């Protein structure tokens, strides 16, 4: 082995000599010298590589930065953390890559400290993915608080802020610690003016955290059953029977009517995919005023929700009116509504929720293949 070979310099830990080779040589020898410094990976070797990585000469900094990414010696962490807060953007990428691949508490603390720099935050958040450490929660919560309190100066700034907030919420979802549940709960409570997309994401994260998270979300909704926005967050987390059981367990008896009103208001604002969950809750509440409001909504929407029809048919007070309204739709409405109303009448009859009365007033029309294409009213005309 030559006294001047990279292998010999590496074996003897000749940091200064390896740095000179990495600066002055070109090609394979230069790359090997930079990699030798990374393999040694102590504080002195890391600082030598960081100096090389700050060079203006691409032939010098490119192999140096590639080598920094491969450092695994935890002795290099202090130097890497110092560089993270002082390097330019080119250097940050490789330093983050090195710290991301280290599991030490010191490396994690360095990454969390870097969250305080807005320019570094996006890359640091990506580097924190998959760590699941309780120590992450306080700085993440602080950054989330800061971002949602800051007023965006334009559309681009707003998108940037919301992107960071989504990343933070994703990280809090990953952390299996009671502190993450508290942080998500605090966000819902303290940032009711935050974008709906972020609040829905936080609600989903709480509901996915098992019983403690479900209790936190149920408690938040249960504080104010008249708040339609909170009820809509609850609906975004359906189906979740355990969450609903918790909610009903904490619901005061005099809040049922308020909850029913909020459910009806959310029914008018939510997409059809959520209607069945809202209808199921209205049926579970078993309040006359909520059922009456549901019947009115069902008529106004021209039988748009089969789930609502079934809920109304299962109750004696609304069943007769439901049948009459469905028959009226066949009698007076356009073909698409006639078809929907007629189908519902026959389905409810087949499922033995209504009697033949009403069904015999309409007749199905079929095509050559026997498929029902319309219904006709055949009862007595006024």
């Amino acid at each position: 082995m030559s006294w001047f070979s990279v292998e010999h310099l590496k074996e003897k830990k000749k940091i200064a000599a390896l740095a000179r080779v990495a600066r002055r040589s070109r090609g394979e020898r230069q790359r090997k010298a930079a990699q030798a410094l990374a393999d040694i990976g102590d504080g002195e070797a890391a600082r030598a590589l960081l100096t090389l990585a700050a060079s203006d000469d691409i032939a010098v900094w490119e192999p140096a930065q590639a080598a920094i990414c491969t450092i695994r010696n935890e002795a290099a962490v202090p130097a890497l953390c110092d560089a993270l807060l002082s390097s330019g953007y080119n250097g940050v990428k490789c330093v983050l890559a090195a710290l991301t691949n280290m599991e030490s508490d010191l490396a994690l603390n360095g990454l969390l400290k870097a969250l305080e720099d807005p320019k570094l935050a996006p890359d640091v958040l990506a580097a924190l993915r998959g760590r699941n450490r309780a120590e992450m929660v306080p700085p993440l919560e602080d950054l989330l608080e800061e971002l949602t309190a800051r007023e965006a100066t334009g559309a681009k700034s707003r998108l940037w802020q919301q992107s960071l907030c989504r990343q933070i919420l994703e990280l809090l979802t990953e952390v299996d610690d009671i502190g993450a549940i508290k942080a998500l709960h605090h966000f819902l409570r303290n940032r009711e003016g935050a974008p709906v997309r972020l609040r829905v994401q936080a609600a989903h994260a709480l509901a996915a955290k098992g019983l403690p998270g479900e209790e936190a979300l149920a408690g938040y909704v249960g504080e104010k059953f008249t708040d339609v926005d909170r009820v809509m967050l609850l609906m975004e987390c359906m189906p979740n029977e355990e969450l609903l059981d918790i909610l009903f367990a904490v619901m005061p008896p005099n809040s049922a009517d308020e909850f029913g009103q909020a459910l009806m208001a959310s029914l008018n604002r939510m997409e059809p995919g959520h209607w069945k969950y809202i209808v199921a809750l209205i049926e579970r509440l078993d309040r006359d005023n909520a059922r009456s409001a549901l019947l009115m909504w069902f008529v106004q929407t021209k039988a748009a929700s089969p789930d609502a029809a079934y809920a109304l048919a299962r109750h004696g007070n609304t069943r007769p009116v439901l049948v009459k309204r469905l028959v009226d739709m066949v009698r007076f409405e356009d073909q698409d509504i006639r078809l929907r109303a007629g189908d519902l009448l026959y389905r409810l009859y087949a499922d033995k929720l209504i009697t033949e009365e009403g069904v015999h007033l309409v007749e199905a029309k079929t095509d050559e293949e026997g498929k029902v294409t319309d219904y006709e009213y055949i009862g007595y005309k006024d």
Side-chain angles (χ1 to χ4, degrees):
M1 182 184 297
S2 169
W3 287 97
F4 300 103
S5 70
V6 170
E7 291 78 8
H8 175 76
L9 296 175
K10 176 182 175 181
E11 182 181 335
K12 298 300 182 180
K13 295 187 177 181
K14 300 292 185 178
I15 307 300
L18 286 169
R20 282 195 297 273
V21 173
R23 183 182 303 107
R24 298 172 181 173
S25 300
R26 292 294 181 266
E28 184 66 12
R29 180 173 167 80
Q30 179 188 39
R31 187 196 65 76
K32 285 185 176 180
Q35 188 58 52
L37 288 170
D39 293 342
I40 296 170
D42 60 15
E44 184 183 357
R47 283 189 287 272
L49 270 176
L50 289 165
T51 300
L52 293 168
S55 171
D56 293 332
D57 187 347
I58 187 173
V60 175
W61 65 253
E62 192 170 52
Q65 290 188 12
I68 289 172
C69 293
T70 68
I71 293 177
R72 296 295 181 269
N73 189 340
E74 293 185 3
V77 170
L80 292 172
C81 289
D82 289 343
L84 183 62
L85 299 176
S86 59
S87 295
Y89 184 76
N90 287 337
V92 164
K93 286 288 190 179
C94 61
V95 172
L96 274 175
L99 291 173
T100 300
N101 290 317
M102 297 184 191
E103 296 298 329
S104 72
D105 292 342
L106 195 58
L108 176 61
N109 290 338
L111 290 171
L112 295 177
K113 180 68 176 175
L115 280 176
E116 298 174 7
D117 187 335
K119 293 180 294 185
L120 297 179
D123 292 317
V124 175
L125 289 173
L128 290 172
R129 295 295 296 270
R131 285 186 176 258
N132 189 14
R133 296 283 295 273
E135 305 95 303
M136 294 164 49
V137 174
L140 288 175
E141 185 174 10
D142 289 345
L143 181 57
L144 183 62
E145 178 79 11
E146 178 190 341
L147 288 169
T148 51
R150 186 190 307 167
E151 185 175 351
T153 56
K156 186 175 180 179
S157 175
R158 189 179 305 111
L159 289 173
W160 178 81
Q161 286 181 217
Q162 292 186 24
S163 175
L164 290 187
C165 289
R166 288 196 297 274
Q167 290 183 66
I168 294 170
L169 291 172
E170 288 172 5
L171 286 169
L172 290 173
T173 304
E174 293 178 359
V175 177
D176 186 17
D177 182 77
I178 191 65
I181 294 175
K182 291 179 179 178
L184 292 166
H185 187 221
H186 291 162
F187 172 71
L188 288 179
R189 181 188 298 278
N190 299 332
R191 293 300 174 194
E192 296 195 334
V196 173
R197 181 177 179 180
L198 297 179
R199 290 176 54 76
V200 169
Q201 185 178 351
H204 274 296
L206 274 179
K209 284 189 172 292
L211 184 59
E214 291 168 341
E215 289 177 339
L217 182 56
Y220 173 70
V221 176
E223 287 175 351
K224 196 174 182 182
F225 281 107
T226 57
D227 191 328
V228 178
D229 291 329
R230 296 191 188 198
V231 171
M232 290 176 67
L233 283 180
L234 177 71
M235 293 301 100
E236 291 283 0
C237 298
M238 293 297 107
N240 190 322
E241 288 299 324
E242 189 174 57
L243 174 57
L244 295 181
D245 289 342
I246 296 170
L247 185 68
F248 274 82
V250 301
M251 183 189 299
N254 60 355
S255 295
D257 288 330
E258 295 177 346
F259 190 32
Q261 293 172 8
L263 285 169
M264 283 306 308
S266 66
L267 193 59
N268 289 315
R269 291 167 56 180
M270 299 205 76
E271 295 296 322
H274 292 91
W275 287 353
K276 61 182 178 182
Y277 306 122
I278 302 172
V279 169
L281 271 176
I282 291 173
E283 186 173 12
R284 182 170 175 174
L285 281 173
D286 195 23
R287 310 296 289 186
D288 288 337
N289 57 353
R291 272 192 301 272
S292 297
L294 179 62
L295 177 61
M296 183 179 297
W297 176 87
F298 180 79
V299 174
Q300 290 172 342
T301 59
K302 309 296 185 184
S305 170
D307 299 285
Y310 274 80
L312 295 167
R314 282 190 285 264
H315 199 275
N317 288 351
T318 49
R319 186 183 305 118
V321 181
L322 170 70
V323 172
K324 183 180 185 306
R325 295 304 186 190
L326 287 172
V327 171
D328 286 345
M329 289 181 200
V330 173
R331 185 177 181 183
F332 297 114
E333 299 291 345
D334 294 334
Q335 185 269 342
D336 58 330
I337 299 173
R338 292 198 303 267
L339 184 60
R340 188 161 64 223
D343 281 343
L344 274 173
L345 277 171
Y346 274 79
R347 284 172 56 186
L348 294 171
Y349 176 66
D351 290 336
K352 300 182 180 179
L353 289 175
I354 63 175
T355 64
E356 190 178 25
E357 182 181 359
V359 177
H360 74 280
L361 296 176
V362 302
E363 181 179 75
K365 301 295 183 181
T366 59
D367 58 18
E368 295 178 352
E369 298 177 353
K371 180 181 177 181
V372 176
T373 58
D374 202 354
Y375 288 91
E376 180 183 7
Y377 176 75
I378 58 172
Y380 294 105
K381 302 183 185 298
D382 296 335

